[in-house]
Amino acid sequence: MAEERIYRYDDELTGSRNAPQYQPGMSLKERIKLVHRLNYSKEEVIKHTANKAVAEMVEHMDKEAISNTFDRFAQQHPQCGYGLTGACCAFCSYGPCRVTEKTLYSVCGKDVDLIVAGNALRRLASGMAAHGAHAREVFIALKAAAEGSAPIPIKCPEKGVAVARALGIETEGKTIEAICGEIADIFIDDLQRSLPKRHETLHALAPKERAELWERLGIIPISAYHECFEVNNLTSHGTDSDFESHMQAFLRTVLAYAITTVTSTSLATDIVYGLPRRSKLNVNLGSIVPDGCVNIGINGHAPMVAFAICDIVGTPKIMEKVKRAGADTIRLYGMCCTGGEFIERDLNIPLVAMASSAEMAVATGAFDAIVVDQQDVLPGMMHVARQFHTRVITTSPSGRKEGAIVLELDYYLKNLDKIYELAEEILDIAIDNYRNRESKKVHVPNIRAKVELGFSVEEVMKLFNGSMPDKKIHGLAALLKAGKIRGIVNFGSCGNVRGAVFERNQIIIAKQLIKNDVLVTAHGCSGMGLLFAGLAHPDASVLCGTGLREVVQAKDIPPVLHVGACTDSTRASQIMAYTANAAAQPNPAMPFAMVAADPAAEKTMGARYAFVLNGIETYSCVQDNTLASDRFIDYVSNRLRTIVGAAMNWNPDPYRTSEDILCMLDEKRAALGWPVRDYTIGTKEEIEDKIPDTVEIGRSICTII
């Protein structure tokens, strides 16, 4: 099948702007060819990925005959073109059906636009269900902490009081436990109810101008559970067959995702587990201690067990067990978004992998246990773990792995009061397994990056003259008006192995933006890519334009402010909204953008469109499986700009995407009457070949700076 693989050539990786482009009216065959052409071989990934630790591990796994994500991706070629473009419907047993220029309708009579919209809707609902499961666990943790039904402490009571006041809860004369109980009840109600009523969280936390617009559009959700239920009803056999109705449900589901499963989750997590705190840390695989240390990776999204493990890992009781096992110490390492929760809170836990690279971390052979809960824990991890002594332990009934040890909070959470006993049992397995590690199998790349973390909204307020009661960040607004900062752009979502060289696109775009005085915020797996590239450290100021460099050096902060895990897009959107408030402008008027360079998981669809509904232009290099429908693409790329003030933009070339963003930011600035300066697009040599000083390659030390 090798002849059928169509890869972009090396010269097209230089930003020569020869990347194939979508055009309305293209034949389905041309659309399929376009998507196939945007795939890369494993060899190209090794050569061009910005994450050289991943490149080294892929080569190492090849030598050891251990397959990985990139091998399995190559084995899928040529991928189904109907599926890639969204022209296939498999909802009922009439099908699967595909539509083409010759076969215009499915068996039941759907056209390509309805099929693409239905596929997108179900993907969106699936992503909302995933984040909703994460939300439910955090809300239950908050309620259990409030009621005292589980030994979960409330680590940030002041955040609880602030959130309560925002929700209109009376706090005078109440204990923090009572206050948090009321917060949990509101969040849980907005998550799960079926009876229509006022959406308290949305109206309390969304910008007033946005809430009024959403009300006029008729897209205020009933609850996350109901919208997920309704999406599956609406797209079921012979139910809704109106494209506009599908898209209204799409927007309503995005809002349920954004407010209930993201915003509320981030706030509740801060209350229970603490605010982010400024800290310095090393990240990437080079942070792993190769010997003398019990190493435990923690991967997933639902943090209850993960934080319990973190709370007890350094206690004298555990350390005594570590010494008895023959190790000097014990360390936790973060992967994916649980890792993002850890690193922002100054817990001395390095981040070593995002979702798509966790297999490479396991393949180092240095982990005695990998503890996982749910979401973005790829099943391929089990294949890799079996090659080593590594034990995989699952803690969630929603995220079991065949062959893993099951030590979980049960389905009904009856054992929540035993969470610390569960955490200790997990640590015991890892400690006992340390004796089985084979040092000859351990291979840890000496590649890591220095980062500075912990940029909560509160910290940004402190840095830039913010007023929390007024929800305004005056300093950022003033810097934008003066032109010292051209704009603010947030990076989020995944790292994809399809349609992009792994961790390359977001690095190019981020470097181009900071070179042109754009302040960047980052979260989730895409944000981790920027950490691994050394962009989230004050030393990276050398890569900035003169205006941004002056700002970040004066504040001694990085040009990329890491704001947390995937649900912490809330922080980025709050920073933008509060800056807009200070400038007395609505979001759509401001020089803001969101970049989800390489979306992969279903959750990223809600994440991206949440920014669009908030009036923030959003950009991707990897296209959703929607390319078959011109009507769908026109709706999300053009009509939404008229409806909500922003839209989705797709261009596979990160150099062109960078220029598109800079051009848009300048258009917004010009419309506001703010100064506009020329931008410059850096060359491949400048942007891709230079490694910033913050990235340390070939170092054997693994101490925390």
Side-chain angles (χ1 to χ4, degrees):
M1 304 289 281
E3 304 76 34
E4 297 185 48
R5 299 186 197 174
I6 306 174
Y7 292 117
R8 293 174 64 195
Y9 294 108
D10 191 20
D11 62 351
E12 290 185 21
L13 289 166
T14 64
S16 60
R17 307 185 187 181
N18 293 325
Q21 301 294 308
Y22 157 80
Q23 297 292 335
M26 294 173 74
S27 69
L28 182 61
K29 185 176 181 180
E30 289 173 319
R31 295 169 201 247
I32 293 171
K33 184 177 180 182
L34 186 157
V35 181
H36 278 163
R37 186 168 170 76
L38 294 171
N39 287 334
Y40 295 87
S41 68
K42 183 170 68 175
E43 292 69 32
E44 287 176 306
V45 169
I46 292 169
K47 182 177 180 181
H48 295 290
T49 179
N51 192 331
K52 299 309 175 186
V54 166
E56 182 176 326
M57 285 308 301
V58 172
E59 290 185 297
H60 173 71
M61 292 173 79
D62 269 359
K63 291 175 186 173
E64 299 298 321
I66 302 171
S67 70
N68 56 55
T69 318
F70 301 103
D71 294 311
R72 296 191 297 273
F73 177 64
Q75 290 163 6
Q76 289 295 321
H77 286 308
Q79 288 179 299
C80 171
Y82 300 106
L84 281 172
T85 59
C88 173
C89 180
F91 291 175
C92 79
S93 295
Y94 283 1
C97 298
R98 63 190 187 276
V99 290
T100 68
E101 290 89 345
K102 294 181 180 178
T103 309
L104 297 178
Y105 301 103
S106 66
V107 173
C108 75
K110 291 182 184 178
D111 64 13
V112 69
D113 302 319
L114 199 63
I115 287 174
V116 167
N119 285 333
L121 246 182
R122 285 205 173 182
R123 193 176 304 120
L124 172 63
S126 176
M128 183 172 67
H131 261 328
H134 176 183
R136 173 181 173 270
E137 182 166 305
V138 174
F139 299 163
I140 288 172
L142 178 61
K143 191 166 180 64
E147 295 176 345
S149 59
I152 299 172
I154 296 171
K155 294 183 178 177
C156 192
E158 59 271 27
K159 184 80 171 191
V161 172
V163 171
R165 288 174 178 163
L167 291 170
I169 296 170
E170 179 58 54
T171 60
E172 195 67 34
K174 294 180 182 176
T175 65
I176 188 59
E177 289 79 13
I179 290 168
C180 288
E182 291 187 52
I183 294 171
D185 287 342
I186 290 174
F187 285 171
I188 290 169
D189 187 44
D190 283 342
L191 177 73
Q192 70 180 16
R193 70 170 165 268
S194 59
L195 185 67
K197 59 172 280 196
R198 178 180 169 85
H199 198 295
E200 297 294 343
T201 313
L202 185 151
H203 287 286
L205 301 177
K208 188 171 183 290
E209 174 265 334
R210 291 285 99 182
E212 290 173 349
L213 171 63
W214 300 333
E215 195 95 61
R216 291 196 301 272
L217 293 173
I219 58 173
I220 302 293
I222 292 173
S223 70
Y225 279 23
H226 179 78
E227 301 311 330
C228 190
F229 189 94
E230 174 60 9
V231 162
N232 284 280
N233 168 43
L234 181 146
T235 56
S236 68
H237 189 64
T239 305
D240 188 271
S241 57
D242 182 280
F243 177 84
E244 295 295 330
S245 176
H246 268 50
M247 296 312 296
Q248 186 177 38
F250 186 91
L251 300 184
R252 194 166 52 238
T253 307
V254 168
L255 270 189
Y257 170 99
I259 302 297
T260 308
T261 74
V262 175
T263 302
S264 303
T265 308
S266 182
L267 297 175
T269 304
D270 282 354
I271 296 169
V272 180
Y273 299 113
L275 280 180
R277 293 181 297 183
R278 290 283 292 277
S279 64
K280 293 182 179 180
L281 195 67
N282 291 321
V283 296
N284 214 337
L285 296 176
S287 304
I288 300 170
V289 180
D291 48 49
C293 180
V294 177
N295 292 322
I296 303 170
I298 301 187
N299 191 355
H301 288 75
M304 274 203 280
V305 175
F307 274 107
I309 292 170
C310 183
D311 285 345
I312 67 170
V313 70
T315 58
K317 182 179 180 182
I318 298 300
M319 292 307 298
E320 184 181 339
K321 294 179 181 181
V322 169
K323 299 295 184 183
R324 284 204 305 266
D328 299 321
T329 189
I330 184 170
R331 293 202 68 182
L332 304 180
Y333 301 86
M335 300 177 185
C336 199
C337 280
T338 295
E341 300 281 10
F342 284 158
I343 60 173
E344 65 184 316
R345 291 184 168 86
D346 191 18
L347 300 175
N348 198 24
I349 299 173
L351 178 76
V352 294
M354 64 169 70
S356 301
S357 59
E359 288 178 34
M360 287 79 202
V362 179
T364 63
F367 283 98
D368 304 299
I370 303 291
V371 183
V372 306
D373 45 73
Q374 54 178 294
Q375 300 165 35
D376 291 324
V377 182
L378 307 189
M381 177 185 290
M382 295 302 299
H383 308 317
V384 180
R386 290 188 190 105
Q387 308 296 315
F388 302 92
H389 76 300
T390 306
R391 307 300 297 271
V392 178
I393 304 167
T394 62
T395 64
S396 169
S398 299
R400 292 178 181 170
K401 306 295 175 198
E402 187 146 352
I405 298 169
V406 176
L407 283 173
E408 65 191 23
L409 292 173
D410 71 46
Y411 189 74
Y412 300 99
L413 296 178
K414 292 177 183 176
N415 60 341
L416 187 55
D417 59 331
K418 300 289 192 296
I419 191 168
Y420 284 103
E421 288 92 328
L422 182 66
E424 185 172 351
E425 192 174 350
I426 289 167
L427 288 174
D428 285 345
I429 290 173
I431 293 166
D432 290 344
N433 196 34
Y434 171 75
R435 299 183 180 94
N436 298 318
R437 189 190 301 174
E438 298 179 60
S439 57
K440 64 182 181 182
K441 283 190 169 185
V442 174
H443 178 90
V444 176
N446 290 324
I447 300 171
R448 64 181 193 170
K450 299 183 293 185
V451 296
E452 187 161 343
L453 304 151
F455 291 95
S456 63
V457 176
E458 291 81 356
E459 179 65 21
V460 173
M461 287 273 195
K462 194 185 307 179
L463 286 165
F464 292 101
N465 187 28
S467 168
M468 190 61 83
D470 297 329
K471 297 183 177 179
K472 293 180 179 180
I473 306 179
H474 301 287
L476 279 180
L479 289 165
L480 283 168
K481 287 179 182 178
K484 292 284 187 183
I485 296 177
R486 186 186 297 267
I488 301 174
V489 176
N490 179 59
F491 281 65
S493 91
C494 308
N496 206 329
V497 300
R498 179 183 71 81
V501 168
F502 187 64
E503 287 190 51
R504 173 178 177 265
N505 287 338
Q506 63 260 43
I507 308 304
I508 292 172
I509 298 168
K511 282 188 174 182
Q512 297 283 16
L513 294 180
I514 65 174
K515 171 184 167 63
N516 287 283
D517 298 318
V518 175
L519 180 67
V520 169
T521 60
H523 64 93
C525 283
S526 185
M528 293 171 194
L530 303 190
L531 296 182
F532 297 150
L535 301 182
H537 190 278
D539 288 355
S541 63
V542 298
L543 302 174
C544 299
T546 54
L548 182 61
R549 187 185 311 138
E550 181 183 323
V551 172
V552 299
Q553 288 180 346
K555 303 285 184 184
D556 192 26
I557 59 174
V560 173
L561 303 180
H562 184 266
V563 297
C566 51
T567 57
D568 294 321
S569 57
T570 300
R571 300 194 216 286
S573 60
Q574 282 183 309
I575 290 167
M576 289 178 175
Y578 294 175
T579 302
N581 286 348
Q585 297 294 334
N587 276 351
M590 293 292 287
F592 297 154
M594 193 268 182
V595 175
D598 305 329
E602 300 98 323
K603 292 174 292 186
T604 64
M605 182 166 279
R608 287 171 285 142
Y609 283 97
F611 276 87
V612 171
L613 288 190
N614 272 293
I616 312 296
E617 290 286 332
T618 298
Y619 296 81
S620 291
C621 296
V622 173
Q623 220 273 337
D624 288 316
N625 305 91
T626 56
L627 198 62
S629 171
D630 289 339
R631 188 176 183 184
F632 183 91
I633 293 175
D634 179 65
Y635 189 99
V636 300
S637 300
N638 297 309
R639 282 185 60 194
L640 277 183
R641 193 170 289 114
T642 302
I643 297 169
V644 299
M648 185 66 64
N649 302 271
W650 174 62
N651 194 307
D653 188 329
Y655 287 85
R656 292 193 66 167
T657 297
S658 303
E659 188 161 9
D660 289 345
I661 295 168
L662 290 166
C663 183
M664 180 275 297
L665 295 177
D666 283 356
E667 288 173 357
K668 302 270 188 182
R669 295 186 63 83
L672 289 167
W674 296 353
V676 176
R677 299 194 313 275
D678 289 342
Y679 57 76
T680 58
I681 300 298
T683 64
K684 179 179 183 293
E685 180 182 12
E686 178 186 0
I687 298 299
E688 296 187 65
D689 295 347
K690 290 184 179 178
I691 300 172
D693 293 338
T694 50
V695 176
E696 302 174 355
I697 296 181
R699 301 291 181 90
S700 60
I701 57 171
C702 291
T703 54
I704 297 297
I705 54 176

